[in-house]
Amino acid sequence: MLKGLLSVLLVLAALSSAMGKPEKTTPKEKKEKRIPQTLSRGWGDQLIWAQTYEEALFWSRSKNKPLMVIFHLEDCPHSQSLKKAFAEDKDIQKLVDEEFVILNLVYETTDKHLSPDGQYVPRILFVDPSMTVRADITGRYSNRMYAYEPADMKLLLSNMQRALKFLKTEL
Amino acid sequence: MLKGLLSVLLVLAALSSAMGKPEKTTPKEKKEKRIPQTLSRGWGDQLIWAQTYEEALFWSRSKNKPLMVIFHLEDCPHSQSLKKAFAEDKDIQKLVDEEFVILNLVYETTDKHLSPDGQYVPRILFVDPSMTVRADITGRYSNRMYAYEPADMKLLLSNMQRALKFLKTEL
């Protein structure tokens, strides 16, 4: 995990530097047919994704389902490997589909509750239908409490079940 | 336009009623393969869409390009017909691609500046890179100032050019 942080920071630095530049497109690039962007961004094409945090909160309250928010970056190798594991894990995909409202974001929201220990990627936060961020549902890394790695899918699944359990006992 | 309002309201009412219900899926529905949702939602698959308003504002400032926000609903016939005209208009698609940051939303944001005369669909707002909503760039309907119909594509194009002109003269 630790050795990965530097590369994540480098990616973030590269990204923010790229974002600051005016867009440069060559005539060749313009002619190429683009692949339509999906809301899933590869995290599960068969899931129904919320587009924005406001929309996700609305669905969470309406359906009384916990919300799962994935922060990631398309060019970040740690995000990519987590995405692959997440999308290929049938148990997780099934449980998300049946019991969760789901949102993935590549841009931070203005809500600081969604970054209890800072803004980094990848990280996964749970929010219950009463709109409380479940800062107590964490991964296994003390320096980045909401980070998961591909090997952590069982922990993530068990955290999802905890989010559902809270729902039944606390609401 | 006026005769259309009732049906828009009916669609909104039906939608909010549907949203309030718990999700019902039959085993048959679950087995059907879903088509991945796109960020474009049919408004131009070849455009690069922002996902959220915060992200769109960030890109608008970074690239010094005006932002165009389309509010619509998937089940609204007026939104659908406007979408078709918008997606098929090559001049508009080209100008958006080259000079605008673009966002389409099916869920309202918390920013009231984006609904100067109320929340209705479809409506199109322009925001300049200084984050000012251009409430002065309107369509042709006095009762719904930011509404456009499929026949209004030339007006929309000229409004887009106005948004670009402001940019050069005022910043």
Side-chain angles (χ1 to χ4, degrees), chain B residues 114-130:
Chain B
L114 286 174
S115 46
D117 64 347
Q119 298 181 343
Y120 52 87
V121 294
R123 70 179 199 275
I124 299 179
L125 275 294
F126 293 92
V127 187
D128 78 21
S130 71

Side-chain angles (χ1 to χ4, degrees), chain A residues 126-156:
Chain A
F126 293 92
V127 187
D128 78 22
S130 71
M131 298 174 66
T132 308
V133 175
R134 289 295 190 176
D136 54 326
I137 304 184
T138 62
R140 65 171 89 253
Y141 311 101
S142 58
N143 55 336
R144 302 206 151 193
M145 289 171 65
Y146 307 97
Y148 294 84
E149 294 203 340
D152 300 332
M153 288 305 97
K154 278 195 180 157
L155 173 62
L156 181 60

Side-chain angles (χ1 to χ4, degrees), chain B residues 67-69 71 113-114 116 123-127 133-135 146:
Chain B
L67 162 64
M68 199 168 162
V69 188
F71 290 91
H113 295 104
L114 286 174
R123 70 179 199 275
I124 299 179
L125 275 294
F126 293 92
V127 187
V133 175
R134 288 296 188 174
Y146 308 95

Side-chain angles (χ1 to χ4, degrees), chain A residues 34 37 41 46 51, chain B residues 34 37 41 46 49 51:
Chain A
R34 297 185 190 126
Q37 303 151 275
R41 286 201 173 88
Q46 291 302 300
Q51 180 180 357
Chain B
R34 298 185 189 124
Q37 303 151 276
R41 284 199 174 90
Q46 290 305 299
W49 294 85
Q51 180 180 358

Side-chain angles (χ1 to χ4, degrees), chain B residues 94-127:
Chain B
K94 185 169 183 283
L95 195 59
V96 171
D97 191 31
E98 289 172 356
E99 304 290 348
F100 285 81
V101 173
I102 182 113
L103 171 70
N104 77 80
L105 291 172
V106 291
Y107 194 85
E108 294 287 340
T109 69
T110 50
D111 190 334
K112 287 182 182 172
H113 295 104
L114 286 174
S115 46
D117 64 347
Q119 298 181 343
Y120 52 87
V121 294
R123 70 179 199 275
I124 299 179
L125 275 294
F126 293 92
V127 187

Side-chain angles (χ1 to χ4, degrees), chain B residues 48-82:
Chain B
I48 293 167
W49 294 85
Q51 180 180 358
T52 65
Y53 188 46
E54 292 89 345
E55 181 182 353
L57 288 175
F58 174 82
W59 286 110
S60 172
R61 273 193 298 175
S62 317
K63 294 170 184 274
N64 197 34
K65 287 181 173 182
L67 162 64
M68 199 168 162
V69 188
I70 303 169
F71 290 91
H72 66 113
L73 284 173
E74 306 251 30
D75 296 335
C76 157
H78 298 273
S79 298
Q80 286 164 356
S81 58
L82 180 64

